[in-house]
Amino acid sequence: MTKQQQWWKKLLLKLAASIIFYTIIPLPYLHGLDFRGVARLASLVGLIIGGILGLLDTGMDYLGMPVLTRSALVVSVWIAITGGLHLDGAMDTADGLAVGDPNRRLEVMTDSATGAFGAMAAIALVILKIAALTDMPENRWLLLMAACGWGRWGQQLAIARYPYLKPTGKGALHKQAIRSYKDLLPGLLLLFSLSGLVWLIDKQQLFLALTMIIAGSAIATLTGAWFNHKLGGHTGDTYGAVVEWTEALFLCVLTVF
């Protein structure tokens, strides 16, 4: 096997590990998977998830399904395809931030029981995504891919930039995988390329393409920064919260354009 073939094999194995870790997409058994570096390909996994959702949405549109029903089904599959991984993190984070005593927030976040604020956060996220998608009748598949991609790039940025608060937590392996800002560049280039695709499809959509880049990068950055400000760092739960809130807010902002 040549070096190039070995490189592609390693990349595909890393991608398979990332898909298995972040989604419930069924894959055949593969020997030699290493889950320690799954966070490096999180943005690519996001684009894959968004692409699947876009195909589903396009198929339902072809069948004549109304936009609101389509949007609700897309968001439902969106949650299901990730196994609720990120939404669960957003709910636990909301429960933790609702505690007045900052010293007890991490303790509350580790509790498996969902509190009132966690439930409200989940409802708000689902409503925001459905409403935003309903208000965007065109280029939905591209916007779904962008939302999923930027959400996971925001997670990568939070991993690289802020301290991890629970060294023995499930998210600790992500901190080991992304050690510098260089690890953020591949995902950023993918997302820039996606915006470029919007412009290539329609030359009149240059403003939308630029807006996707500016809004995506800004929201992904600010969301992680806000959770860091509240907690003094991040956990596996807040990584999920960054994904969910970046996705929802990105879609909401794009409805303006």
Side-chain angles (χ1 to χ4, degrees), residues 90-127:
M91 294 166 70
D92 288 340
T93 300
D95 283 333
L97 292 178
V99 177
D101 183 4
N103 296 322
R104 291 193 59 243
R105 287 174 177 171
L106 291 181
E107 178 187 345
V108 172
M109 288 166 62
T110 58
D111 189 347
S112 59
T114 301
F117 285 92
M120 287 188 285
I123 292 169
L125 285 164
V126 170
I127 290 176

Side-chain angles (χ1 to χ4, degrees), residues 1-114:
M1 185 179 292
T2 65
K3 290 184 178 180
Q4 187 176 13
Q5 290 174 326
Q6 289 178 344
W7 185 86
W8 278 107
K9 181 180 178 181
K10 289 181 180 179
L11 178 62
L12 290 174
L13 287 174
K14 290 178 181 178
L15 178 58
S18 297
I19 291 173
I20 291 172
F21 185 89
Y22 286 116
T23 75
I24 61 167
I25 298 173
L27 291 179
Y29 174 78
L30 296 170
H31 178 70
L33 292 181
D34 185 358
F35 292 92
R36 290 175 295 179
V38 293
R40 293 177 186 171
L41 296 178
S43 295
L44 178 56
V45 173
L47 293 181
I48 292 172
I49 293 172
I52 293 171
L53 296 174
L55 286 172
L56 173 65
D57 182 68
T58 302
M60 290 188 293
D61 183 32
Y62 180 78
L63 294 174
M65 187 173 290
V67 65
L68 179 58
T69 306
R70 238 164 65 218
S71 300
L73 285 172
V74 165
V75 173
S76 298
V77 174
W78 199 339
I79 296 170
I81 203 172
T82 62
L85 176 67
H86 305 304
L87 186 60
D88 179 67
M91 294 166 70
D92 288 340
T93 300
D95 283 333
L97 292 178
V99 177
D101 183 4
N103 296 322
R104 291 193 59 243
R105 287 174 177 171
L106 291 181
E107 178 187 345
V108 172
M109 288 166 62
T110 58
D111 189 347
S112 59
T114 301

